[in-house]
Coordinates of all heavy atoms in Angstrom, one line a residue:
S166 N -16.7 -7.3 40.1 CA -17.6 -6.8 39.0 C -19.0 -6.7 39.4 O -19.7 -5.7 39.1 CB -17.4 -7.7 37.8 OG -16.1 -7.7 37.3
R167 N -19.5 -7.7 40.1 CA -20.9 -7.6 40.6 C -21.1 -6.5 41.5 O -22.2 -5.8 41.5 CB -21.3 -9.0 41.2 CG -21.4 -10.1 40.2 CD -21.3 -11.5 40.9 NE -21.4 -12.6 39.9 CZ -21.0 -13.8 40.1 NH1 -20.5 -14.1 41.3 NH2 -21.0 -14.7 39.2
G168 N -20.2 -6.3 42.5 CA -20.3 -5.2 43.4 C -20.3 -3.8 42.7 O -21.1 -2.9 43.0
L169 N -19.3 -3.7 41.8 CA -19.2 -2.5 41.0 C -20.4 -2.2 40.2 O -20.9 -1.0 40.1 CB -18.0 -2.5 40.1 CG -17.7 -1.3 39.2 CD1 -17.5 -0.1 40.1 CD2 -16.5 -1.5 38.4
R170 N -21.0 -3.2 39.6 CA -22.2 -3.0 38.8 C -23.3 -2.4 39.6 O -24.0 -1.5 39.1 CB -22.7 -4.4 38.2 CG -23.9 -4.3 37.3 CD -24.3 -5.6 36.8 NE -23.3 -6.3 36.1 CZ -22.8 -7.5 36.5 NH1 -23.3 -8.2 37.5 NH2 -21.8 -8.0 35.8
V171 N -23.5 -2.9 40.8 CA -24.6 -2.3 41.7 C -24.3 -0.9 42.0 O -25.2 0.0 42.1 CB -24.7 -3.2 43.0 CG1 -25.7 -2.5 43.9 CG2 -25.2 -4.6 42.6
E172 N -23.0 -0.6 42.2 CA -22.6 0.8 42.5 C -22.9 1.8 41.4 O -23.3 2.9 41.7 CB -21.1 0.9 42.9 CG -20.8 0.1 44.2 CD -19.3 0.1 44.5 OE1 -18.5 0.7 43.7 OE2 -18.9 -0.4 45.6
V173 N -22.5 1.4 40.2 CA -22.5 2.4 39.1 C -23.6 2.3 38.0 O -23.8 3.2 37.2 CB -21.1 2.4 38.4 CG1 -20.0 2.7 39.4 CG2 -20.8 1.1 37.7
A174 N -24.3 1.1 38.0 CA -25.4 1.0 37.0 C -26.4 2.1 37.1 O -26.8 2.6 36.1 CB -26.1 -0.4 37.2
P175 N -26.8 2.6 38.3 CA -27.8 3.7 38.3 C -27.2 5.0 37.8 O -28.0 5.9 37.6 CB -28.1 3.8 39.8 CG -27.8 2.5 40.4 CD -26.6 2.0 39.6
R176 N -25.9 5.0 37.6 CA -25.3 6.3 37.2 C -24.9 6.1 35.7 O -24.1 6.9 35.2 CB -24.1 6.6 38.0 CG -24.4 6.7 39.5 CD -23.2 7.0 40.4 NE -22.6 8.2 40.1 CZ -21.5 8.7 40.8 NH1 -21.0 7.9 41.7 NH2 -20.9 9.8 40.5
G177 N -25.4 5.1 35.0 CA -25.2 5.0 33.6 C -24.1 4.2 33.1 O -23.8 4.1 31.9
I178 N -23.4 3.5 34.0 CA -22.3 2.6 33.6 C -22.6 1.2 33.6 O -23.3 0.7 34.5 CB -21.1 2.8 34.6 CG1 -20.9 4.3 34.9 CG2 -19.8 2.2 34.1 CD1 -20.5 5.2 33.7
R179 N -22.2 0.5 32.5 CA -22.4 -1.0 32.4 C -21.2 -1.7 32.8 O -20.1 -1.3 32.4 CB -22.8 -1.4 31.0 CG -24.1 -0.8 30.5 CD -24.6 -1.4 29.2 NE -23.7 -1.1 28.1 CZ -24.0 -1.4 26.8 NH1 -25.2 -2.0 26.5 NH2 -23.2 -1.2 25.9
V180 N -21.3 -2.7 33.6 CA -20.2 -3.5 34.0 C -20.5 -5.0 33.6 O -21.5 -5.5 34.1 CB -19.9 -3.5 35.5 CG1 -18.7 -4.3 35.9 CG2 -19.6 -2.0 35.9
M181 N -19.6 -5.6 32.8 CA -19.9 -6.9 32.3 C -18.6 -7.8 32.5 O -17.5 -7.3 32.6 CB -20.2 -6.8 30.8 CG -21.4 -6.0 30.5 SD -21.7 -5.6 28.8 CE -20.7 -4.1 28.6
T182 N -18.8 -9.1 32.5 CA -17.7 -10.0 32.6 C -17.9 -11.0 31.5 O -19.0 -11.3 31.0 CB -17.7 -10.8 33.9 OG1 -18.9 -11.5 34.1 CG2 -17.4 -9.8 35.1
I183 N -16.8 -11.6 31.0 CA -16.8 -12.7 30.1 C -15.8 -13.8 30.5 O -14.7 -13.5 30.8 CB -16.5 -12.2 28.6 CG1 -16.5 -13.3 27.6 CG2 -15.1 -11.5 28.6 CD1 -16.5 -12.9 26.2
D184 N -16.3 -15.0 30.7 CA -15.5 -16.1 31.1 C -15.0 -16.9 29.8 O -15.8 -17.1 28.9 CB -16.3 -17.1 31.9 CG -16.5 -16.7 33.3 OD1 -15.7 -15.9 33.9 OD2 -17.6 -17.0 33.9
V185 N -13.8 -17.2 29.8 CA -13.2 -17.9 28.7 C -12.6 -19.3 29.1 O -12.3 -19.5 30.3 CB -12.1 -17.1 28.0 CG1 -12.7 -15.8 27.5 CG2 -10.9 -16.8 28.9
H186 N -12.6 -20.2 28.2 CA -12.1 -21.5 28.5 C -11.3 -22.1 27.3 O -11.8 -22.1 26.2 CB -13.3 -22.4 28.8 CG -12.9 -23.9 29.1 ND1 -12.9 -24.8 28.1 CD2 -12.5 -24.5 30.2 CE1 -12.6 -26.0 28.6 NE2 -12.3 -25.8 29.9
N187 N -10.1 -22.6 27.5 CA -9.4 -23.3 26.5 C -9.2 -22.5 25.2 O -9.5 -23.0 24.1 CB -10.0 -24.6 26.3 CG -9.0 -25.8 26.1 OD1 -7.9 -25.7 26.5 ND2 -9.5 -26.8 25.4
V188 N -8.7 -21.3 25.4 CA -8.4 -20.4 24.2 C -7.0 -20.5 23.8 O -6.1 -20.4 24.7 CB -8.9 -19.0 24.5 CG1 -8.6 -18.1 23.3 CG2 -10.4 -18.9 24.8
A189 N -6.7 -20.6 22.5 CA -5.3 -20.6 22.1 C -4.7 -19.2 22.3 O -5.1 -18.2 21.7 CB -5.2 -21.0 20.6
S190 N -3.7 -19.1 23.2 CA -3.0 -17.9 23.4 C -1.7 -18.2 24.0 O -1.2 -19.3 24.2 CB -3.8 -17.0 24.4 OG -3.8 -17.6 25.7
E191 N -0.9 -17.1 24.4 CA 0.4 -17.3 25.0 C 0.3 -17.3 26.5 O 1.3 -17.3 27.2 CB 1.3 -16.1 24.6 CG 1.6 -16.1 23.1 CD 2.5 -15.0 22.7 OE1 3.1 -14.4 23.6 OE2 2.6 -14.7 21.5
F192 N -0.9 -17.4 27.1 CA -1.1 -17.4 28.5 C -0.3 -18.5 29.2 O 0.3 -18.2 30.3 CB -2.6 -17.6 28.9 CG -2.9 -17.8 30.4 CD1 -2.7 -16.8 31.2 CD2 -3.3 -19.0 30.8 CE1 -2.9 -16.9 32.6 CE2 -3.5 -19.2 32.2 CZ -3.3 -18.2 33.1
G193 N -0.2 -19.7 28.7 CA 0.5 -20.8 29.3 C 1.9 -20.9 29.0 O 2.6 -21.9 29.5
T194 N 2.5 -20.0 28.2 CA 3.9 -20.2 27.8 C 4.9 -20.0 28.9 O 6.0 -20.5 28.8 CB 4.2 -19.2 26.7 OG1 4.0 -17.8 27.2 CG2 3.3 -19.4 25.4
E195 N 4.5 -19.4 30.0 CA 5.4 -19.3 31.1 C 5.1 -20.3 32.2 O 5.7 -20.2 33.3 CB 5.3 -17.8 31.7 CG 5.7 -16.8 30.7 CD 5.7 -15.4 31.3 OE1 5.3 -15.2 32.5 OE2 6.0 -14.4 30.6
F196 N 4.2 -21.2 32.0 CA 4.0 -22.3 32.9 C 5.2 -23.1 33.1 O 6.0 -23.4 32.2 CB 2.8 -23.2 32.5 CG 1.5 -22.6 32.6 CD1 0.4 -23.3 32.1 CD2 1.2 -21.4 33.2 CE1 -0.9 -22.8 32.2 CE2 0.0 -20.9 33.3 CZ -1.1 -21.5 32.8
D197 N 5.5 -23.6 34.3 CA 6.6 -24.4 34.6 C 6.5 -25.7 33.9 O 5.6 -26.5 34.1 CB 6.7 -24.6 36.1 CG 8.0 -25.3 36.6 OD1 8.6 -26.0 35.7 OD2 8.4 -25.1 37.7
P198 N 7.5 -26.0 32.9 CA 7.3 -27.2 32.1 C 7.5 -28.5 32.9 O 7.1 -29.6 32.5 CB 8.5 -27.0 31.1 CG 9.5 -26.1 31.7 CD 8.6 -25.2 32.5
A199 N 8.1 -28.3 34.1 CA 8.2 -29.5 35.0 C 6.9 -29.9 35.7 O 6.7 -31.0 36.2 CB 9.3 -29.3 36.0
V200 N 6.0 -28.9 35.8 CA 4.7 -29.1 36.5 C 3.6 -29.3 35.5 O 2.6 -30.0 35.8 CB 4.4 -27.9 37.4 CG1 3.1 -28.1 38.2 CG2 5.6 -27.7 38.4
L201 N 3.6 -28.7 34.3 CA 2.5 -28.7 33.4 C 2.0 -30.1 33.0 O 0.7 -30.3 33.0 CB 2.8 -27.9 32.2 CG 1.7 -27.7 31.1 CD1 0.5 -27.1 31.8 CD2 2.2 -26.9 30.0
P202 N 2.8 -31.0 32.7 CA 2.3 -32.4 32.3 C 1.4 -33.0 33.4 O 0.3 -33.5 33.1 CB 3.5 -33.2 32.1 CG 4.6 -32.2 31.7 CD 4.3 -31.0 32.6
E203 N 1.8 -32.9 34.7 CA 1.0 -33.4 35.8 C -0.3 -32.6 35.9 O -1.4 -33.2 36.2 CB 1.8 -33.4 37.1 CG 1.0 -33.9 38.3 CD 0.4 -35.3 38.2 OE1 0.9 -36.1 37.3 OE2 -0.5 -35.6 39.0
A204 N -0.2 -31.3 35.7 CA -1.5 -30.5 35.8 C -2.4 -30.9 34.7 O -3.6 -31.0 35.0 CB -1.1 -29.0 35.7
L205 N -1.9 -31.0 33.5 CA -2.8 -31.4 32.4 C -3.4 -32.8 32.7 O -4.6 -33.0 32.4 CB -2.0 -31.4 31.1 CG -1.7 -30.1 30.5 CD1 -0.7 -30.2 29.4 CD2 -3.0 -29.4 30.0
R206 N -2.6 -33.7 33.2 CA -3.2 -35.1 33.5 C -4.3 -35.0 34.5 O -5.4 -35.6 34.3 CB -2.1 -36.0 34.1 CG -2.5 -37.4 34.2 CD -1.5 -38.2 35.0 NE -1.4 -37.8 36.4 CZ -2.3 -38.1 37.4 NH1 -3.3 -38.9 37.0 NH2 -2.2 -37.7 38.6
R207 N -4.2 -34.2 35.5 CA -5.3 -34.0 36.5 C -6.5 -33.3 35.9 O -7.6 -33.7 36.2 CB -4.7 -33.3 37.7 CG -3.8 -34.1 38.6 CD -4.6 -35.2 39.4 NE -5.4 -34.6 40.4 CZ -6.7 -35.0 40.7 NH1 -7.2 -36.0 39.9 NH2 -7.3 -34.4 41.7
W208 N -6.3 -32.3 35.1 CA -7.4 -31.6 34.5 C -8.2 -32.5 33.6 O -9.4 -32.5 33.6 CB -6.9 -30.4 33.7 CG -6.2 -29.3 34.6 CD1 -6.3 -29.2 35.9 CD2 -5.4 -28.3 34.1 NE1 -5.5 -28.2 36.4 CE2 -4.9 -27.6 35.3 CE3 -4.9 -27.9 32.9 CZ2 -4.1 -26.5 35.2 CZ3 -4.0 -26.8 32.8 CH2 -3.6 -26.1 33.9
H209 N -7.5 -33.4 32.8 CA -8.2 -34.4 32.0 C -8.9 -35.4 32.8 O -10.0 -35.7 32.5 CB -7.1 -35.1 31.1 CG -6.6 -34.2 30.0 ND1 -5.3 -34.5 29.4 CD2 -7.0 -33.1 29.4 CE1 -5.1 -33.5 28.5 NE2 -6.1 -32.7 28.5
E210 N -8.3 -35.8 33.9 CA -8.9 -36.8 34.8 C -10.1 -36.3 35.4 O -11.1 -37.0 35.6 CB -7.8 -37.1 35.9 CG -8.2 -38.2 36.8 CD -7.1 -38.5 37.9 OE1 -7.0 -37.7 38.8 OE2 -6.4 -39.4 37.7
L211 N -10.2 -35.0 35.7 CA -11.3 -34.4 36.4 C -12.4 -33.9 35.4 O -13.4 -33.4 35.7 CB -10.9 -33.2 37.3 CG -10.0 -33.6 38.5 CD1 -9.4 -32.4 39.1 CD2 -10.9 -34.4 39.5
G212 N -12.0 -34.0 34.1 CA -13.0 -33.5 33.1 C -13.0 -32.0 32.9 O -13.9 -31.4 32.2
L213 N -12.0 -31.3 33.4 CA -11.9 -29.8 33.3 C -11.5 -29.4 31.9 O -11.9 -28.4 31.4 CB -11.0 -29.3 34.4 CG -11.4 -29.5 35.8 CD1 -10.3 -29.1 36.8 CD2 -12.7 -28.7 36.2
V214 N -10.6 -30.2 31.3 CA -10.2 -30.1 29.9 C -10.4 -31.4 29.2 O -9.9 -32.4 29.7 CB -8.7 -29.6 29.8 CG1 -8.3 -29.5 28.4 CG2 -8.6 -28.2 30.5
R215 N -11.0 -31.4 28.1 CA -11.2 -32.6 27.3 C -10.3 -32.7 26.2 O -10.2 -31.7 25.4 CB -12.7 -32.7 26.8 CG -13.7 -32.7 28.0 CD -15.1 -32.9 27.4 NE -16.1 -32.9 28.5 CZ -17.4 -33.0 28.3 NH1 -17.9 -33.1 27.1 NH2 -18.2 -33.0 29.3
P216 N -9.6 -33.8 26.0 CA -8.6 -33.9 24.9 C -9.2 -33.7 23.6 O -8.6 -33.2 22.6 CB -8.1 -35.3 25.1 CG -8.3 -35.6 26.5 CD -9.5 -35.0 26.9
E217 N -10.5 -34.1 23.4 CA -11.2 -34.0 22.1 C -11.7 -32.6 21.8 O -12.2 -32.3 20.7 CB -12.3 -35.0 22.0 CG -13.5 -34.7 22.9 CD -13.4 -35.2 24.3 OE1 -12.3 -35.5 24.8 OE2 -14.5 -35.2 25.0
S218 N -11.6 -31.7 22.8 CA -12.2 -30.4 22.6 C -11.1 -29.5 22.0 O -10.0 -29.3 22.6 CB -12.6 -29.8 24.0 OG -13.0 -28.5 23.8

Side-chain angles (χ1 to χ4, degrees):
S166 297
R167 290 164 181 157
L169 177 59
R170 182 182 304 123
V171 174
E172 291 176 359
V173 300
R176 302 176 66 180
I178 313 301
R179 298 191 296 190
V180 179
M181 298 169 276
T182 58
I183 180 167
D184 283 331
V185 300
H186 177 265
N187 219 22
V188 177
S190 73
E191 296 180 13
F192 172 70
T194 57
E195 296 182 1
F196 286 175
D197 189 333
V200 180
L201 183 56
E203 175 61 16
L205 284 170
R206 187 190 68 79
R207 286 290 288 138
W208 297 342
H209 290 157
E210 185 179 79
L211 294 168
L213 298 169
V214 176
R215 296 183 181 179
E217 71 274 17
S218 178

